[in-house]
Amino acid sequence: MDQEDRIALFLDYENLALGVRDHGGGVAFDFRPIADALAERGRVVVRRAYADWSYFDEDRRMLTRSHVELIEMPQRMGASRKNAADIKMAVDAVELAFERDYIATFVICTGDSDFTPLVHKLRELNKRVIGVGVEKSTSALLPPACDEFLYYDRLEGVEIPSPRGRRGRPTRVPTVEPPRVVQQPEPQPEDAEPVRDVDTLAALVAQTVAGLQGSAGGEVTASRLKRTLLRKDPTLSESDYGFRTFGELLRHLAEHNVVELAEGPAKGDPEVSLPEHGEREVAFGLLRSVVLDLAGGDGDGTVPLSGLKNQLLRVRPDFSEKKLGYRGFLQFCRAAATGGAVDLRWSPEADDYLLTAATG
């Protein structure tokens, strides 16, 4: 038990519940998916929800069954009381941060950007902060401020009706225009699902591994990599890309030669590195051959860097220097020059880098 993170949970209940109902097709807020997600991250020792509970009679039983302490903040005294719940919640969170050293993680359930200063203060006090909010009603300022941000809509166990189920017109449509109404709306529910590009994720992973190896040196473990990825994008979740665990994602990337896995210092926490050969050497060879072709085949001519990547993409449409761990195409060309595939030099006359295919 001593190894477990202690978690304090604070719910801006009105913001969260109304966000679910407004953007979830009228479905009721369910606390259980949040509780399950946090159970995987540690031991929740404080659970508090703030609202004028006279407006949420039905929800009180659900929260009480989940052992959530209900903090009553009446809102019937005019506009001056509008932010009373927000202020009380922020004061309680900071007070708890000072009084309970053993609580390492604070979960702030809201989509309101007004809580961003609270998040910054908690992190300043060396607390890990996880945010939870409804995707369409969460301010863009809040997720980047957190160490991790969970969208309620994407949590396991949350079922949001499709737009077709919420906004269907079963009686009117068949009489007016049967063929158009049945056919036209079909693709829309598909488009409503966010499309996650695994290649984009692979590029982010490779770039992050390269950065960790270059800045800190030493081994890059899977757990360290995951923490760094969450610092870059607190909303990142491997489940959005169809993987059950981060380890499964890494195995997929290893099979596609994006990364290499080796036994790490702890069981279940492998060491992650970029392939020293394989795809990278193939990409260097591709660059050399394209430069050679563009130079006329004799290897004596030079090719400007500008526009060169487009030429590579014509030969190999799936080329991406980021999947190889490089932040940009110039960095990739420099690595190819270091590897002996090409020669690279800056030309003041051309105001551009010039490449020549290496001989031999």
Side-chain angles (χ1 to χ4, degrees):
M1 183 177 291
D2 289 337
Q3 300 295 323
E4 294 179 317
D5 251 3
R6 266 57 164 194
I7 299 174
L9 170 67
F10 293 84
L11 290 99
D12 177 10
Y13 195 77
E14 183 174 355
N15 180 281
L16 207 58
L18 294 183
V20 171
R21 289 171 189 175
D22 291 346
H23 301 285
V27 300
F29 171 78
D30 184 7
F31 177 72
R32 178 49 52 190
I34 294 178
D36 290 345
L38 297 182
E40 298 167 359
R41 289 163 171 78
R43 180 176 169 227
V44 181
V45 295
V46 175
R47 302 182 184 194
R48 295 178 187 172
Y50 298 74
D52 183 344
W53 296 106
S54 62
Y55 293 104
F56 300 100
D57 281 335
E58 295 297 320
D59 301 31
R60 298 173 76 157
R61 291 192 193 90
M62 176 264 295
L63 292 169
T64 303
R65 282 196 298 268
S66 297
H67 309 288
V68 177
E69 181 184 358
L70 307 183
I71 308 299
E72 180 71 51
M73 298 301 300
Q75 302 291 317
R76 298 180 180 179
M77 299 178 67
S80 62
R81 300 278 297 172
K82 180 177 177 292
N83 293 322
D86 296 4
I87 296 170
K88 171 67 172 167
M89 182 168 143
V91 169
D92 285 358
V94 172
E95 183 180 38
L96 199 69
F98 279 106
E99 289 184 349
R100 305 286 187 269
D101 288 341
Y102 56 82
I103 296 179
T105 301
F106 283 71
V107 180
I108 309 298
C109 299
T110 184
D112 192 342
S113 62
D114 289 349
F115 284 97
T116 305
L118 170 63
V119 173
H120 288 314
K121 178 55 66 176
L122 290 172
R123 295 185 69 184
E124 184 182 322
L125 294 171
N126 198 29
K127 305 298 182 182
R128 174 175 165 81
V129 181
I130 300 175
V132 181
V134 178
E135 187 165 8
K136 290 183 179 178
S137 64
T138 294
S139 167
L141 298 174
L142 191 59
C146 301
D147 293 294
E148 183 179 3
F149 198 91
L150 307 175
Y151 285 119
Y152 176 83
D153 327 45
R154 301 184 196 172
L155 294 179
E156 190 71 32
V158 176
E159 295 183 8
I160 302 294
S162 68
R164 179 170 52 184
R166 299 199 303 259
R167 301 183 61 89
R169 297 174 180 164
T171 41
R172 208 177 149 187
V173 166
T175 43
V176 181
E177 260 180 295
R180 209 166 83 189
V181 176
V182 174
Q183 301 275 16
Q184 214 66 13
E186 287 296 334
Q188 292 180 6
E190 307 270 346
D191 295 341
E193 289 293 323
V195 177
R196 304 290 164 185
D197 184 2
V198 178
D199 283 345
T200 302
L201 178 61
L204 177 63
V205 170
Q207 184 179 330
T208 304
V209 171
L212 287 172
Q213 288 179 329
S215 61
E219 61 188 23
V220 178
T221 61
S223 58
R224 181 184 174 198
L225 174 61
K226 178 67 181 289
R227 288 194 300 270
T228 306
L229 288 170
L230 284 173
R231 282 196 287 269
K232 289 185 173 184
D233 181 5
T235 69
L236 182 70
S237 172
E238 59 273 4
S239 63
D240 290 339
Y241 298 84
F243 300 100
R244 293 169 297 178
T245 64
F246 189 63
E248 185 177 317
L249 164 63
L250 290 179
R251 288 191 292 273
H252 171 83
L253 297 181
E255 289 171 4
H256 289 77
N257 207 34
V258 177
V259 298
E260 288 182 348
L261 301 179
E263 187 175 345
K267 186 178 180 181
D269 192 14
E271 185 178 337
V272 187
S273 60
L274 294 175
E276 291 298 327
H277 302 288
E279 275 298 306
R280 193 174 306 194
E281 300 303 320
V282 171
F284 289 168
L286 172 67
L287 176 65
R288 182 181 183 280
S289 66
V290 170
V291 169
L292 197 61
D293 289 343
L294 293 174
D298 56 6
D300 295 327
T302 58
V303 176
L305 180 69
S306 302
L308 182 57
K309 183 176 179 179
N310 290 334
Q311 299 297 327
L312 261 72
L313 289 171
R314 288 181 182 179
V315 179
R316 184 173 166 182
D318 64 339
F319 170 79
S320 170
E321 72 278 0
K322 291 182 173 59
K323 287 175 66 175
L324 300 171
Y326 301 106
R327 286 182 169 78
F329 188 63
L330 175 59
Q331 187 186 24
F332 166 73
C333 291
R334 283 174 172 156
T338 303
V342 294
D343 293 322
L344 177 71
R345 65 179 178 85
W346 172 256
S347 170
E349 296 81 13
D351 194 27
D352 199 355
Y353 284 96
L354 298 180
L355 291 89
T356 308
T359 57

